[in-house]
Amino acid sequence: MIRFILSRGLRAVVTIFLVVTFAFIVLRLSGDPAMQILSVDAPPEAIAAFRNEWGLNQPIWQQFLDYLLNVLHGNFGDSMREGRPAMDIVLEHVGATLMITLPALALKIVIGIPAGIYAALHRNSLADRMTMMISVAGFTVPSFVLALVLVLIFSVHLGWLPSTGNATWKHAILPIVTLGTAGAAILARFTRSAMLEVLGQSYIRAASAKGLIWRQVVTGHALPNAAIPTVTIVGFMIGSLIAGAVVVESVFSWPGIGYLLISAVANRDLAIVQSILLLIALCMVCANLVVDLLYGWIDPRVRLRSAH
Amino acid sequence: MTDTTAETGAPAPRTDLQADPVARGPLARFFENWPLSVLLALGWVFVVLVVAIGADVIAPYSYTGLDLSSRLSPPVFMGGSWAHLLGTDELGRDVFSRLVQSIRMSLLIAFFGTIIATTLGTSLGFLAAHFRGKVEALVLMLIDFQASMPFLIIALAVLAFFGNSLPLFIMLMGFNAWERYARIARGLTISAHEQGYAAAVRQLGASPWRTYGHHILPNIASTLIVSMTLSFPETILMESGLSFLGLGVQPPMTSLGNMVGYGREYITRASWIMLSPALVIVLTTLSISMIGDWLRDRLDPTLQ
Amino acid sequence: MNDLLQVDDLACHFSVRRDHGFPARRVPLKAVDGVSFSLAAGRTLALVGESGCGKSTTAKAVLGLTHKTGGDVLFKGAPLPKAGTREWRRQRQDMQLVFQDPLAALDRRLPIGRQIEEPLHIHGVDDKAQRRETVTRIMTAIGLKPHQAASFPHELSGGQRQRAVLARALVLEPSLLVLDEPISALDVSIQAQVINLLVELQERLGVAYLFISHDLKVVRQISHEVAVMYLGRIVEHGDPETIFTAPAHPYTRALVSAIPTVRTTKRERIILSGDPPNPIDTPPGCPFHTRCAQAFERCRIERPELASTGDGRTVACHLAHAPDVRAVA
């Protein structure tokens, strides 16, 4: 078990390292930072001073090491536009994002999982077919389309809810509903197929054959086993609490991480982009790690398999 | 969750097994193999393909052509004129002509993106399975990395660093979901090498080219094609999402996401600008994923 | 030496990760540890033993498919080229392998005629028309109907598939054929047919067989020589009649006693307890002493060498060489 935890932990560290390396390589490939941050027609002395200050004259591995050290301290330099440390600006926006993604996550779980279980237990019923149709839509309707349709209905035609901004709690409703419905559809689909697979297993037939009433079979045997794949997808959703609202925040002008990221990309504010990249990577990797460990705890086969 | 089965203790009834195919006519049997939804999906994809290929012939106006005399004219079914079937935008550009051009652009990007992802993923999977050891560890590490980061974020970072151009954007879309093909190619190749036909052919003296090109690739092709139909719509969604944000296809070129992004500004006054491309995105991705699901059930039940 | 195949002190040691314990250690696994034998043209040598005794690894090393860590393999007097190289690939014309599971070994997407023709194609033998003719000839010789060339593997029966695999292996007329458990995936009734076919083909084509099996009854029918392996080493080697009528090594005795017979005379059945020891932790002394009923002090300390017993076979057992040794010890 210790080895299992350590191997997964190592994998998480490797992924983070890859993200940082990726950022470094892409940053270097994208051109001379001196030329980008200063302008092309800056005086040569200024460029030389800049290169010296940022260590650009050193060998590439030395630069990479310095870069790693800076990253370890959470230091990505200052935002070009605001002239403040990028990480500070990024962290200021986390709260706004969580304000819509956390309720949306709750919505996904509360609607998606029961709907998936119900659909699986009533396979081929009208309710099942309806659930599946809606969940297919959850995969194929892009979030910006769903968001705009909701705006069209509830803001433009009915005039019930505001469409952009974050002044009141009412402003949060449409973003939350947009995120929640799409995610609930996906979760319902996963839960349904996990349930169906479990219900087809021989131990379920054995459990009903030994005389348990169906409800006991479902709650005692089917649900715990079907929980295993569902945990993975929920874990992924938790990991994307910060990254998952990029498009929706942009549609509703909700001042969270996604909104910040889009404007930073448009302005090529590289310090901000890198800070967000690392923050998101950390969230994803931590969530993956927790899911892996949870998985190993729920399902002993995983733990044993990984030991081979 | 209480229904009749709760009392009997029997598993949920499976009505799909009760159907008796012999008792029904040839028409019913035809629809069993080719469900109506799949036929409709195939029909829609066909229409979209024809539009994409014949865009220049079909479009009544140039997609950049301005008609300042009829700005924001509504589509026919909303009381507009037949001159502009789907209405015009703020600059008087014909929405239908722009839509046709956008379909071509979006399909083109998704098509090349999927081809690149398949080629890249399959090659890396083959390399991992062929060399094992360190090469395999490296490929697995990259797969892990790709699978654990949302691709939208990676794409945004690359666009931030490199700026945007169409070839770069298509390349970028080619990195979407490559890890899926790499996993499939690696897994199936390893099992073919361990006890199967690949080991047999290799020891007949076949070159690696022959082993991979004549035997392994044709054997895993159906699985790869199914994955392609499943990830093609995802690439369309990724492209239109980025274009919607203004970071994908750049004006004056236009794509479906681009049109929606532009139409969003006029949502209160001229919602048709954004509704028709949005509808095309939804119908196209829906159709292709339905065909993909259907293909998977028919060709490759092992894939899930 | 005019032998077709000469194997001297062959060793295949793998480094494996140890499952339990932390940190993970890599320990050597001696799959094959000092195996020597030779095989003349047109003869059959059978390697027998329990699963995991190293017989399949030996077969792979002989073909150059597994990296050997020690010893020599000489084929027609020359060492094997490195696996995967052009020379190695060219040499496949002369040495072929038949797998255990014919369905897995055939490409399910190609008709078997194409697959039987493929070796000719790979090695650039003949033109298209001549190749077709060769395929028809070999299919007839092996008991398949020429029209079955268009069949796909899943359309054939198990026996027919193995015939197709044999046809593919023999179409280049190799001088050595390695058969790795070629009949254990087949029904008993078909096993006999395939064995008869193999014997017949050997007489006709003069091909040598290295026959890997755990089925001693089959081995007795087909082989000219038998080598019994235990934990990566040969423990007894000789002609099948001597070995099967009077096995000298206690392990061989146990194997022979387990052959099912129709004779009604009561035989003593020796039942081995437990599994063979883990090849990572081979016991000191004779590797078999942990399961041997006759083991005594010396067996736990000193490993017996493979030595001739004077009746044309070699045995690795202290008791076989000096039956009274126990009294001395």
Side-chain angles (χ1 to χ4, degrees):
Chain A
M1 189 65 196
I2 298 170
R3 241 192 78 196
F4 175 74
I5 295 173
L6 278 170
S7 75
R8 295 305 152 105
L10 187 71
R11 225 173 78 177
V13 173
V14 166
T15 307
I16 293 287
F17 177 76
L18 278 178
V19 172
V20 175
T21 315
F22 166 79
F24 179 78
I25 292 172
V26 173
L27 188 68
R28 283 295 171 273
L29 282 179
S30 64
D32 190 339
M35 292 301 182
Q36 282 179 11
I37 289 175
L38 307 172
S39 65
V40 188
D41 45 48
E45 316 74 86
I47 291 177
F50 180 87
R51 293 181 137 265
N52 207 23
E53 185 191 345
W54 290 89
L56 293 175
N57 296 324
Q58 283 168 319
I60 194 80
W61 59 268
Q62 181 72 47
Q63 290 184 36
F64 183 57
L65 263 166
D66 290 345
Y67 184 79
L68 274 182
L69 275 175
N70 276 328
V71 168
L72 276 179
H73 293 114
N75 175 16
F76 286 91
D78 291 349
S79 158
M80 270 161 39
R81 303 202 75 208
E82 301 194 30
R84 293 192 294 138
M87 212 36 157
D88 294 356
I89 301 174
V90 169
L91 291 176
E92 283 163 18
H93 286 76
V94 170
T97 293
L98 289 179
M99 209 184 291
I100 56 169
T101 50
L102 278 176
L105 179 70
L107 201 64
K108 289 174 201 176
I109 292 173
V110 168
I111 297 176
I113 293 180
I117 294 173
Y118 186 84
L121 290 176
H122 301 257
R123 196 181 177 187
N124 288 321
S125 68
L126 188 68
D128 177 30
R129 280 163 202 270
M130 290 291 288
T131 315
M132 287 323 289
M133 264 173 59
I134 296 172
S135 84
V136 170
F139 274 104
T140 51
V141 177
S143 55
F144 59 88
V145 168
L146 180 62
L148 289 179
V149 169
L150 289 178
V151 167
L152 201 59
I153 297 172
F154 292 102
S155 311
V156 178
H157 284 288
L158 299 173
W160 289 352
L161 294 167
S163 62
T164 54
N166 66 331
T168 67
W169 61 270
K170 275 186 172 178
H171 286 89
I173 292 178
L174 283 183
I176 291 171
V177 170
T178 310
L179 285 173
T181 15
I186 292 168
L187 198 53
R189 193 181 161 111
F190 267 90
T191 311
R192 177 180 178 271
S193 65
M195 263 312 264
L196 282 181
E197 197 181 329
V198 169
L199 288 176
Q201 297 288 323
S202 47
Y203 58 80
I204 294 295
R205 261 175 287 146
S208 39
K210 81 184 179 196
L212 288 180
I213 62 166
W214 186 234
R215 184 197 294 254
Q216 284 175 325
V217 176
V218 170
T219 52
H221 296 264
L223 286 180
N225 284 292
I228 294 169
T230 309
V231 161
T232 316
I233 187 78
V234 173
F236 192 81
M237 287 174 168
I238 293 175
S240 41
L241 275 176
I242 289 184
V246 173
V247 176
V248 171
E249 281 179 12
S250 165
V251 174
F252 292 103
S253 307
W254 186 267
I257 291 285
Y259 189 73
L260 178 70
L261 178 60
I262 298 298
S263 58
V265 170
N267 299 319
R268 303 192 69 181
D269 194 340
L270 300 185
I272 298 266
V273 174
Q274 288 175 68
S275 308
I276 294 179
L277 195 62
L278 190 77
L279 187 69
I280 288 173
L282 272 176
C283 289
M284 295 304 302
V285 163
C286 286
N288 276 349
L289 189 61
V290 171
V291 167
D292 272 350
L293 298 182
L294 212 57
Y295 227 92
W297 179 60
I298 304 177
D299 186 355
R301 282 172 305 174
V302 175
R303 195 164 63 229
L304 293 175
R305 208 181 306 131
S306 76
H308 282 290
Chain B
M1 256 175 270
T2 49
D3 62 348
T4 48
T5 53
E7 280 80 49
T8 59
R14 298 175 58 151
T15 46
D16 55 334
L17 294 179
Q18 289 162 359
D20 182 4
V22 188
R24 287 183 292 152
L27 202 65
R29 254 177 286 146
F30 173 79
F31 280 119
E32 206 156 273
N33 283 328
W34 299 82
L36 192 63
S37 52
V38 170
L39 288 175
L40 288 175
L42 284 168
W44 175 257
V45 170
F46 178 74
V47 168
V48 166
L49 280 178
V50 167
V51 166
I53 293 164
D56 300 327
V57 184
I58 292 168
Y61 305 93
S62 156
Y63 72 99
T64 47
L66 308 180
D67 182 358
L68 293 175
S69 60
S70 55
R71 289 169 22 177
L72 291 180
S73 127
V76 173
F77 51 86
M78 286 168 83
S81 76
W82 281 95
H84 298 287
L85 198 62
L86 294 177
T88 58
D89 62 15
E90 165 74 8
L91 298 169
R93 296 178 298 191
D94 183 50
V95 171
F96 180 68
S97 304
R98 290 185 68 72
L99 189 66
V100 165
Q101 194 63 36
S102 297
I103 289 175
R104 169 185 267 189
M105 179 61 87
S106 287
L107 285 192
L108 195 82
I109 293 174
F111 179 77
F112 281 110
T114 309
I115 297 282
I116 293 172
T118 315
T119 316
L120 181 76
T122 310
S123 316
L124 284 175
F126 279 167
L127 283 178
H130 187 78
F131 291 106
R132 309 299 298 263
K134 283 185 185 124
V135 179
E136 186 178 32
L138 183 73
V139 172
L140 286 176
M141 208 164 75
L142 289 174
I143 288 177
D144 245 18
F145 167 68
Q146 172 89 11
S148 63
M149 279 297 282
F151 185 70
L152 181 68
I153 304 299
I154 296 182
L156 283 173
V158 171
L159 290 172
F161 289 127
F162 286 114
N164 198 325
S165 70
L166 190 61
L168 177 80
F169 188 59
I170 292 176
M171 286 291 288
L172 187 59
M173 291 299 104
F175 279 87
N176 188 20
W178 66 265
E179 87 280 2
R180 229 174 285 166
Y181 306 102
R183 278 197 182 128
I184 292 170
R186 173 180 164 270
L188 293 177
T189 306
I190 286 175
S191 70
H193 270 308
E194 263 165 12
Q195 18 76 4
Y197 57 91
V201 172
R202 175 174 133 89
Q203 75 82 39
L204 288 175
S207 62
W209 278 117
R210 189 182 184 88
T211 313
Y212 284 91
H214 282 239
H215 293 279
I216 297 181
L217 195 60
N219 267 288
I220 69 172
S222 63
T223 314
L224 288 177
I225 289 170
V226 170
S227 312
M228 279 168 87
T229 41
L230 292 174
S231 71
F232 188 87
E234 287 172 34
T235 309
I236 294 186
L237 291 180
M238 185 61 63
E239 178 274 321
S240 52
L242 285 167
S243 297
F244 170 82
L245 295 171
L247 300 166
V249 173
Q250 298 296 316
M253 286 183 291
T254 174
S255 82
L256 293 171
N258 221 311
M259 275 183 85
V260 179
Y262 176 80
R264 150 198 185 189
E265 313 291 327
Y266 304 95
I267 190 164
T268 44
R269 284 185 291 157
S271 54
W272 61 84
I273 301 175
M274 151 236 138
L275 282 178
S276 55
L279 193 68
V280 171
I281 294 174
V282 171
L283 285 179
T284 309
T285 50
L286 184 68
S287 298
I288 299 174
S289 8
M290 264 164 49
I291 294 169
D293 280 343
W294 174 74
L295 271 182
R296 179 183 60 198
D297 293 346
R298 288 193 67 138
L299 293 180
D300 201 352
T302 57
L303 197 77
Q304 179 62 55
Chain C
M1 289 278 176
N2 295 324
D3 284 334
L4 179 71
L5 178 70
Q6 177 82 35
V7 175
D8 267 322
D9 204 21
L10 175 73
C12 296
H13 296 180
F14 301 105
S15 162
V16 293
R17 274 249 301 268
R18 189 130 227 205
D19 284 352
H20 35 86
F22 184 84
R25 277 178 299 149
R26 298 192 78 87
V27 288
L29 183 153
K30 297 176 179 176
V32 178
D33 194 21
V35 164
S36 306
F37 59 83
S38 64
L39 178 59
R43 304 278 288 176
T44 300
L45 169 68
L47 288 179
V48 297
E50 288 165 291
S51 56
C53 71
K55 52 191 196 302
S56 287
T57 311
T58 308
K60 281 187 181 157
V62 163
L63 290 164
L65 285 167
T66 292
H67 180 68
K68 61 179 164 58
T69 47
D72 292 304
V73 176
L74 300 177
F75 182 71
K76 291 188 170 170
L80 296 174
K82 200 170 172 300
T85 57
R86 200 174 289 270
E87 295 71 39
W88 180 84
R89 292 212 300 266
R90 205 174 301 130
Q91 200 184 47
R92 297 306 99 192
Q93 290 188 59
D94 221 14
M95 50 201 312
Q96 279 291 310
L97 169 67
V98 169
F99 289 86
Q100 177 175 5
D101 181 357
L103 186 58
L106 291 167
D107 190 330
R108 66 193 166 100
R109 281 187 47 272
L110 291 175
I112 57 157
R114 288 267 303 280
Q115 302 198 49
I116 295 171
E117 190 192 332
E118 185 160 22
L120 298 170
H121 198 101
I122 291 170
H123 295 284
V125 183
D126 300 343
D127 61 31
K128 204 168 192 169
Q130 282 173 307
R131 287 204 297 260
R132 286 283 144 81
E133 218 170 274
T134 315
V135 169
T136 312
R137 208 175 56 233
I138 191 106
M139 285 182 71
T140 319
I142 219 144
L144 290 169
K145 306 221 163 43
H147 72 82
Q148 286 176 318
S151 312
F152 287 90
H154 64 266
E155 296 168 342
L156 300 177
S157 71
Q160 289 170 332
R161 279 180 214 136
Q162 194 59 296
R163 284 167 196 266
V165 170
L166 274 172
R168 182 174 65 178
L170 291 171
V171 73
L172 289 165
E173 300 181 2
S175 43
L176 171 66
L177 191 59
V178 176
L179 299 133
D180 190 359
E181 305 260 8
I183 56 165
S184 56
L186 303 177
D187 289 344
V188 179
S189 57
I190 299 161
Q191 287 188 353
Q193 289 177 24
V194 174
I195 289 298
N196 290 339
L197 177 68
L198 283 171
V199 173
E200 195 192 311
L201 288 168
Q202 184 168 52
E203 280 165 14
R204 207 169 341 150
L205 304 170
V207 54
Y209 292 150
L210 181 60
F211 191 92
I212 316 288
S213 181
H214 62 268
D215 186 341
L216 286 124
K217 214 160 138 251
V218 169
V219 164
R220 192 171 184 173
Q221 289 175 44
I222 196 170
S223 56
H224 303 110
E225 267 180 75
V226 174
V228 180
M229 287 186 70
Y230 187 77
L231 276 182
R233 300 174 146 262
I234 292 177
V235 293
E236 184 162 4
H237 185 167
D239 75 280
E241 272 322 299
T242 326
I243 285 187
F244 288 125
T245 48
H249 195 282
Y251 178 62
T252 319
R253 227 174 289 149
L255 289 183
V256 170
S257 82
I259 302 177
T261 52
V262 287
R263 278 172 296 176
T264 46
T265 45
K266 284 242 166 175
R267 270 194 322 180
E268 179 205 7
R269 278 208 55 189
I270 306 163
I271 295 161
L272 291 178
S273 55
D275 293 322
N278 190 333
I280 296 169
D281 300 309
T282 40
C286 173
F288 187 59
H289 84 254
T290 53
R291 296 165 84 196
C292 181
Q294 282 98 359
F296 58 101
E297 194 50 37
R298 191 175 161 198
C299 301
R300 281 180 264 275
I301 302 160
E302 186 190 335
R303 188 160 65 183
E305 292 302 320
L306 197 62
S308 172
T309 50
D311 53 356
R313 67 175 152 188
T314 50
V315 182
C317 177
H318 296 306
L319 278 171
H321 298 296
D324 52 344
V325 74
R326 207 189 307 207
V328 181

